[in-house]
Amino acid sequence: MQITIDLTNIRDKESFHDKIQEAIDCPSYYGRNLDALYDVLTDCGTMELNFEGYMDFAQDMPGYSASFKDMCLEAIAENHDLAILFDGEPLEEE
């Protein structure tokens, strides 16, 4: 399954998790935080997520975007069937 999530104009955590819930079939108990998102991503099976507008998101929310990126790296290390792209480029450790 391939999903694109547009992070352009996301300036708060609530909007970010609204976008996530809208795009991904999250369980009803999804906790709307990065720990809960990690649980969803490590248990989702085969999935490719492309986060468009990541650079804008990183500028608008530098601390949260850095934590999000770290969580994504941990999730792809745990779930080898998960691919995460930022603006069309595969996520890799720097």
Side-chain angles (χ1 to χ4, degrees):
M1 172 177 8
Q2 294 179 323
I3 299 171
T4 297
I5 300 173
D6 186 2
L7 299 179
T8 307
N9 298 319
I10 298 296
R11 293 186 175 83
D12 58 65
K13 294 176 188 179
E14 293 77 22
S15 298
F16 173 80
H17 288 285
D18 287 345
K19 283 279 190 171
I20 296 296
Q21 279 191 286
E22 183 179 299
I24 300 174
D25 186 22
C26 296
S28 60
Y29 55 84
Y30 174 63
R32 297 177 58 85
N33 59 55
L34 295 179
D35 289 336
L37 181 55
Y38 173 85
D39 292 342
V40 169
L41 296 180
T42 56
D43 195 36
C44 68
T46 302
M47 183 183 296
E48 178 180 295
L49 293 173
N50 181 26
F51 291 96
E52 290 291 330
Y54 178 79
M55 296 307 292
D56 292 336
F57 176 62
Q59 286 180 341
D60 292 336
M61 297 183 63
Y64 201 71
S65 65
S67 296
F68 169 63
K69 184 176 183 179
D70 290 344
M71 182 279 305
C72 287
L73 288 167
E74 292 173 15
I76 59 176
E78 178 71 23
N79 180 356
H80 300 289
D81 294 323
L82 175 66
I84 297 178
L85 298 91
F86 285 180
D87 295 314
E89 297 295 322
L91 178 61
E92 299 174 349
E93 285 197 59
E94 297 174 355

